[in-house]
Amino acid sequence: MELLDWSLISSTIRMVTPILLAALGGALCARVGIFNVGLEGLVLVGAFSAIVGNHFTGSLFLAVLFAALVCVLFSWLFAYMTIGLRANEIVVGVAINFLALGLTTFALRAIFGVKGAFYDKEMAGLPKLDIPVIGDIPVLGDIFSGHSVLVYLAFLAAILLYLFFYRTVAGFRVLAVGLNPVAARSLGLKVTGLQVLAISMCGVLCGLAGAQLSLGQVTMFTEGMTAGRGFIALVAMMMGQSHPLGILASSFLFGLMDALSIRLQGFSLPTQFTSMLPYLLTIVAMFFVKEKSRAGSNQQSSR
Amino acid sequence: MAAVRELCKSLVQPILAVVIGLLTGAVVIAAVGESVIGTYQEMWKGAFGSFYFFTSTLARATPIMLIALGLALAFRAGVFNMGAEGQMVLGAVSAALVAIYLPGPGVVKMLAGLVAGIAAGGLWSLLAGYMEAKFRIPLLISTLLFNYIAVLFASYLVTEPFRDRSGSAALAQTVMLDKSVWLPKLFAGMSVHAGFFFAIAAALILFWVIRYTPFGYEVKMLGQNPFFARYGGINQIKVMLAGMFASGGLAGLAGTVEVLGSHYRFVDGALTVPNFAWTGMMATLLAGSHPIGIVFTSILLAAFQTGAMGVERNTEVPLELASVIQAVLILFISARFSYDWWKKRKAKGGETHGAA
C-alpha cells in the first residue's frame, strides 16, 4: 500500500465528515456566545441513537432522523442548564460528555444486552451515493463519488452556513447576538430564542455527525467510539475561527491526519504514535491561530 | 450560630443535587425493570456493607481525592486544567519505571518513584501552562489534547520497550514491582493503602495553604478577579504556573500511589478505564473546590462506583448507573455554584470569564 494516493483523499473526505458536522454545530453555538464543550457527548449520543433507530425501524432515513431528534433533546438539556439556569457552560459541557458516555453504555446493555460494542450483520450502513458523470472519471470519481449522503450533506451544510451567516438577515442577527448580547437585546432581538435555536441546530448537526460515525463508516456502535473527535471538532472550530469555510479547511486537515494515521499503521510504526498524530498536529496548529480566534467570537481561553 | 447556618446553607445545594441524582438513577433503574429499593440496597452494601467493602471504597477514593485536590487549586486560580488524566498516567508510568529500574534499596526506590511520579505529572501540566503563558494557547484545549498524547505515549512504553514478556502476553504491562517498594496496606488483607494518608495529608496541607499563606491569597485573588490581582502586583503568570505544577503534581501522585499501592505495576488502561480523572473533577465541583469538602465528596463518588460494582454483581443493572447518577449530580451542582459566580460578574458588569 502506498502512503499517498488518491484513495487517501477519498478516505479523508469520509473521516472529515463527523468532525466537520460537529465543528459547524460548535460554531453556531460559538456565534451566539456559547462555548460548547459537550460536542463529544452529543456526537456519541447521535452515534448510538442512529444505531438504535436503525435496529428498530430498519429504515436508514428514520435512523438518521431519530439520531438528530435525540441529539436535539439532549442539546436542550445543555441549553436549559446554560441559558435557563446560567450554569457555567464548560462545566455543563463536561457533564454532558459524562452523561452521554454513561447513558449510551447503560442503554447499550439495557437495550441490546451487550457490553463494549453492538454489531448486527443484518444491519445495513448508509448507502454509497454514486454520482453519475463524475463517478466515471478516473481520479475525480475516486475522490468525489461513492460517499454516503451525510458526507455530501456535511459539505453542503458548511456552504449553507456560510451563506446563512453572511448573506441573510437572520444570520446577521445571530452574529450580532454573539458579538454583543446586550446591544442585540436592546435592538429587540430575541437573544435567548436565537441561542436556543443555535444550540438545537448544533444538536441536529451533532446527531448527523454521530450517524455518519456509526452508520456511515462501520455500521456498529462501540462504547466511547467518538474517541475525542468531538474535542477535535472543538479545536477545528477554534482554528477556523467559527467561520464555516475556515472550519472546512481546518476539519480537512484533521481528517487528513486521521486518514493518514490509519494508513501509517500498515507500516511498522507503533500504533500509539500514529494515533497521536492528529492531537500533535492540533497543538502545532494552535501555535498559529491563537490570537484572532478569541477576538473573532465570544469564546475564551481558561483565563 | 452564624457559622453553623452558613455551613447548612452551603450544604443544601450539594444534598439537593445528590437527591436529584439518586432520583434520576431510580428512573433509570425502573426503566430497565429492576427494583429501585433493592438496587440501592445492593449499592449501599457494595460500598459500605462490610469493613472490606468500606476499605475498597476508601482505596478507590484515594486517587480521586488527590486529583480533585489538584484541580481545586487550579480552579481556585481560575485555571481550567482538564488534563488530569494525562498527568496521572504519565506520573504513574514514570513512577513505575523508576521504581523498577533504579538500583538501590527498596525505600530509596519507593521515594524516588514518588518523586518521579509527582515531577512527571507536574511538568506535563506545567508545559500546558507555559504554552498558555507564552503563546496564548488556551489551557482548556491544550490540556485536553495532552491527555491523549500522554495516555498513548504511556501505552507505547508498556507495549514496546518496557513490556513484561514473562507472564501472560494478553495485557500490556510492566513487570511487577519488588515487594520492598510497595506502599504498605493500612489493614492486612484490605485494599486501602498508605496513599490514602497522602491524600488526607494533601487535603490538610492544601487547606492550610489556601487559608493561611500568601500564595493561597494570590491564587484566590487571581481566580476571583484577575484584573484586581494584576493591579495588586500579583505576578499572574508565576501564580498560574505554580498552580498548574501543583495541580499536575497531585494528579501524578494519584497515579503513583495506584501503581505503588494497589497494582504494583503499570497496566495499560488500568487508570483510564475507571475514569479517575473526570470523577476527580466532579469531586472538586461538588465540594466547591474546598479541600476538606473534597475528602467527603471523593468518598461519596467512590462509594457510588464501588456500590455500582456491587449492584452489577448481584442484579441485572449495569455498572454505568454510577456515571449516570454522577453526571446528573454535577449538572445540578454546576447550576448552583456558577449561578452565584454569574451574579457577582453581572453586578460588576465585567466581561464573561471562562472559569468557575
Side-chain angles (χ1 to χ4, degrees):
Chain A
M1 190 161 58
E2 287 290 315
L3 183 57
L4 298 167
D5 57 22
W6 292 115
S7 71
L8 180 73
I9 307 286
S10 171
S11 54
T12 297
I13 289 177
R14 267 198 309 280
M15 294 295 186
V16 88
T17 306
I19 298 174
L20 176 61
L21 283 166
L24 290 173
L28 263 168
C29 290
R31 286 296 193 182
V32 293
I34 289 164
F35 192 61
N36 192 346
V37 196
L39 293 179
E40 173 91 358
L42 285 168
V43 176
L44 190 62
V45 167
F48 181 73
S49 32
I51 289 285
V52 172
N54 194 6
H55 183 76
F56 287 107
T57 65
S59 150
L60 283 165
F61 178 72
L62 287 180
V64 173
L65 206 66
F66 183 68
L69 191 76
V70 172
C71 268
V72 169
L73 289 179
F74 216 67
S75 66
W76 280 349
L77 181 65
F78 180 85
Y80 177 66
M81 298 309 292
T82 51
I83 302 170
L85 298 180
R86 297 201 158 143
N88 184 311
E89 54 213 41
I90 292 169
V91 177
V92 176
V94 171
I96 290 274
N97 290 339
F98 224 94
L99 190 63
L101 194 61
L103 273 181
T104 50
T105 312
F106 188 91
L108 189 67
R109 302 221 22 216
I111 297 175
F112 299 115
V114 291
K115 214 179 158 111
F118 176 74
Y119 176 73
D120 183 0
K121 280 203 301 289
E122 310 289 301
M123 204 154 60
L126 290 172
K128 307 265 180 280
L129 219 64
D130 284 312
I131 301 176
V133 181
I134 296 177
D136 298 331
I137 305 170
V139 173
L140 283 182
D142 288 341
I143 297 173
F144 292 111
S145 182
H147 297 295
S148 77
V149 191
L150 289 180
V151 173
Y152 299 109
L153 203 64
F155 288 93
L156 191 67
I159 295 163
L160 284 181
L161 204 62
Y162 171 77
L163 294 176
F164 171 72
F165 276 153
Y166 299 105
R167 294 285 181 274
T168 66
V169 176
F172 284 129
R173 288 195 175 136
V174 167
L175 296 185
V177 170
L179 285 175
N180 193 337
V182 180
R185 187 168 279 134
S186 72
L187 283 175
L189 294 184
K190 294 192 176 56
V191 172
T192 313
L194 281 172
Q195 283 179 330
V196 173
L197 197 68
I199 294 177
S200 312
M201 272 312 292
C202 171
V204 171
L205 289 168
C206 286
L208 298 182
Q212 166 68 13
L213 263 187
S214 63
L215 289 179
Q217 290 169 9
V218 284
T219 327
M220 68 186 292
F221 178 82
T222 33
E223 284 173 22
M225 74 184 298
T226 39
R229 279 191 188 82
F231 292 120
I232 294 282
L234 205 64
V235 180
M237 174 204 96
M238 293 178 72
M239 253 179 82
Q241 294 160 20
S242 301
H243 188 293
L245 301 184
I247 290 171
L248 192 62
S250 55
S251 307
F252 221 88
L253 204 60
F254 293 122
L256 186 66
M257 284 300 126
D258 232 5
L260 207 59
S261 79
I262 288 172
R263 182 152 300 195
L264 279 170
Q265 285 170 13
F267 293 72
S268 53
L269 279 167
T271 51
Q272 285 92 354
F273 285 115
T274 55
S275 326
M276 231 185 258
L277 214 62
Y279 309 107
L280 279 175
L281 179 91
T282 311
I283 289 176
V284 172
M286 287 176 64
F287 278 95
F288 299 99
V289 287
K290 56 230 170 179
E291 220 34 85
K292 272 200 252 160
S293 68
R294 74 179 60 185
S297 70
N298 199 21
Q299 51 191 260
Q300 327 87 9
S301 91
S302 45
R303 295 192 313 120
Chain B
M1 238 8 241
V4 174
R5 234 163 77 207
E6 188 70 10
L7 186 72
C8 287
K9 226 173 125 189
S10 65
L11 279 178
V12 168
Q13 284 284 354
I15 290 170
L16 200 68
V18 170
V19 170
I20 295 174
L22 288 177
L23 282 177
T24 314
V27 172
V28 175
I29 296 165
V32 292
E34 289 282 322
S35 146
V36 173
I37 307 279
T39 306
Y40 277 138
Q41 266 171 353
E42 287 296 338
M43 190 175 236
W44 175 263
K45 271 194 252 165
F48 301 113
S50 70
F51 188 63
Y52 177 78
F53 286 136
F54 177 60
T55 57
S56 306
T57 301
L58 292 187
R60 197 178 178 93
T62 305
I64 296 174
M65 210 181 288
L66 283 167
I67 287 171
L69 290 167
L71 292 178
L73 189 67
F75 286 175
R76 274 180 179 266
V79 186
F80 252 96
N81 177 9
M82 309 274 260
E85 183 158 292
Q87 293 146 16
M88 168 181 65
V89 169
L90 216 57
V93 76
S94 313
L97 294 180
V98 165
I100 291 167
Y101 295 104
L102 188 84
V107 185
V108 173
K109 287 171 125 182
M110 188 211 282
L111 290 177
L114 285 169
V115 171
I118 295 171
L123 290 174
W124 187 239
S125 162
L126 193 63
L127 179 62
Y130 175 76
M131 277 166 41
E132 153 97 39
K134 185 90 182 177
F135 301 104
R136 315 263 313 136
I137 292 175
L139 265 176
L140 182 69
I141 302 291
S142 62
T143 49
L144 270 174
L145 293 170
F146 272 21
N147 282 341
Y148 295 98
I149 296 174
V151 170
L152 286 167
F153 182 65
S155 162
Y156 163 75
L157 287 180
V158 294
T159 43
E160 295 285 334
F162 297 107
R163 184 177 193 145
D164 176 15
R165 297 188 193 275
S166 55
S168 62
L171 277 176
Q173 56 187 19
T174 64
V175 293
M176 194 74 121
L177 298 173
D178 191 66
K179 261 207 160 78
S180 61
V181 190
W182 294 9
L183 284 178
K185 295 279 185 201
L186 296 187
F187 307 99
M190 305 288 164
S191 44
V192 64
H193 50 82
F196 185 70
F197 275 147
F198 293 168
I200 298 289
L204 293 174
I205 293 171
L206 195 65
F207 180 71
W208 175 75
V209 165
I210 287 172
R211 189 137 260 196
Y212 298 109
T213 66
F215 177 69
Y217 177 72
E218 289 182 346
V219 163
K220 194 174 147 196
M221 278 297 74
L222 187 59
Q224 293 193 337
N225 194 334
F227 305 102
F228 179 73
R230 193 183 304 151
Y231 288 116
I234 291 171
N235 187 337
Q236 279 177 288
I237 291 185
K238 223 167 89 185
V239 175
M240 189 268 279
L241 290 179
M244 280 304 279
F245 181 80
S247 137
L250 281 167
L253 181 61
T256 306
V257 298
E258 278 299 286
V259 164
L260 299 181
S262 74
H263 301 300
Y264 307 126
R265 60 181 6 148
F266 181 84
V267 187
D268 191 19
L271 294 171
T272 45
V273 171
N275 248 325
F276 285 135
W278 293 110
T279 314
M281 177 175 272
M282 293 207 230
T284 310
L285 295 169
L286 256 176
S289 299
H290 191 289
I292 307 299
I294 284 173
V295 172
F296 296 100
T297 54
S298 303
I299 293 174
L300 176 77
L301 292 179
F304 273 133
Q305 295 177 351
T306 49
M309 287 180 206
V311 169
E312 186 163 75
R313 275 195 302 274
N314 300 316
T315 69
E316 292 294 303
V317 180
L319 188 63
E320 281 66 32
L321 176 66
S323 31
V324 173
I325 295 178
Q326 283 175 8
V328 173
L329 227 153
I330 187 128
L331 275 175
F332 282 89
I333 278 296
S334 69
R336 184 250 329 182
F337 83 72
S338 359
Y339 186 56
D340 292 347
W341 161 85
W342 184 279
K343 270 194 299 199
K344 259 186 254 154
R345 279 271 141 193
K346 257 191 152 177
K348 269 190 278 192
E351 62 179 303
T352 48
H353 182 261

